[in-house]
Amino acid sequence: MFEITKRDGLARIGKLETRHGVLETPALLPVVNPKINTVTPRELYDEFGFRALITNSYIIKNTPDLKAKAEEVGLHEMLDFPGVIMTDSGTFQSYMYGEVEVTNDEMVNFQKAIGTDIGTVLDIFTEPNWTKERTAEAIRVTLERTRHACDIKGEMMINGVGQGSIFPDLREECA
């Protein structure tokens, strides 16, 4: 549950309770590539004071040794990170490399199975050169996937993805 602790106009400071601690907002979450440990998640927690991070469940799911370990011991133990972990779903990989070979259900269920605190739906990345109609359809699909993810997520929280490209009214609708 999100608790607002202070307000100033439209700005809010708050606390989000998760299974692995309270995340105070606004928060900066470093992105950890689970294949590359330049700075380990444990160092981010112990030495730099980060209490939350983001990693990519699509990379984990599609890297056999990482997938096996995450399914066996859970995401937090696999990364050796006691704080809040949010996972992305593969949308960026889809944007960069073409369609990903997973469904929204597969990604939400995988994130849930490995103990993600805050999961992300397989949304549709919108681009600035898209027409308003194409962008609106991508938002419709993203919101449909989000509603369904909320039905199957269990105790995991779901990240609300904001899409809409260059169209302020569509970004507002998505929000």
Side-chain angles (χ1 to χ4, degrees):
M1 172 134 197
F2 183 69
E3 173 191 349
I4 297 173
T5 57
K6 291 185 182 177
R7 286 183 181 269
D8 184 5
L10 294 176
R12 302 177 311 265
I13 294 177
K15 296 179 179 180
L16 183 65
E17 290 185 39
T18 76
R19 292 177 292 178
H20 286 91
V22 175
L23 177 62
E24 295 185 11
T25 67
L28 176 65
L29 279 66
V31 176
V32 171
N33 182 324
K35 291 176 143 185
I36 302 169
N37 275 316
T38 306
V39 177
T40 68
R42 178 53 85 164
E43 287 174 300
L44 290 171
Y45 189 88
D46 290 340
E47 296 179 33
F48 297 98
F50 285 101
R51 296 299 179 250
L53 60 78
I54 300 172
T55 194
N56 190 291
S57 62
Y58 181 79
I59 291 172
I60 295 168
K61 186 177 187 321
N62 289 289
T63 306
D65 59 326
L66 292 176
K67 179 181 181 192
K69 188 166 185 184
E71 289 177 332
E72 180 184 337
V73 300
L75 183 61
H76 289 79
E77 188 173 325
M78 181 191 90
L79 292 177
D80 188 23
F81 189 80
V84 178
I85 300 177
M86 180 176 140
T87 50
D88 198 0
S89 63
T91 296
F92 182 73
Q93 285 71 26
S94 176
Y95 170 70
M96 291 299 293
Y97 310 115
E99 288 301 312
V100 294
E101 295 184 18
V102 294
T103 66
N104 184 55
D105 279 16
E106 287 175 299
M107 289 314 302
V108 171
N109 284 319
F110 179 71
Q111 290 170 91
K112 180 172 67 170
I114 63 174
T116 296
D117 295 301
I118 305 169
T120 304
V121 300
L122 190 62
D123 57 310
I124 307 294
F125 191 89
T126 58
E127 299 186 47
N129 62 334
W130 285 10
T131 65
K132 190 169 188 176
E133 292 74 25
R134 183 175 179 190
T135 302
E137 176 59 16
I139 290 170
R140 185 195 66 72
V141 171
T142 293
L143 292 176
E144 182 180 294
R145 289 177 180 183
T146 303
R147 280 188 285 278
H148 181 67
C150 288
D151 291 339
I152 65 172
K153 68 179 182 61
E155 296 295 313
M156 179 178 70
M157 295 177 163
I158 292 291
N159 173 31
V161 179
Q163 293 291 359
S165 183
I166 62 169
F167 305 103
D169 58 326
L170 294 182
R171 288 195 309 270
E172 184 175 334
E173 179 184 327
C174 190

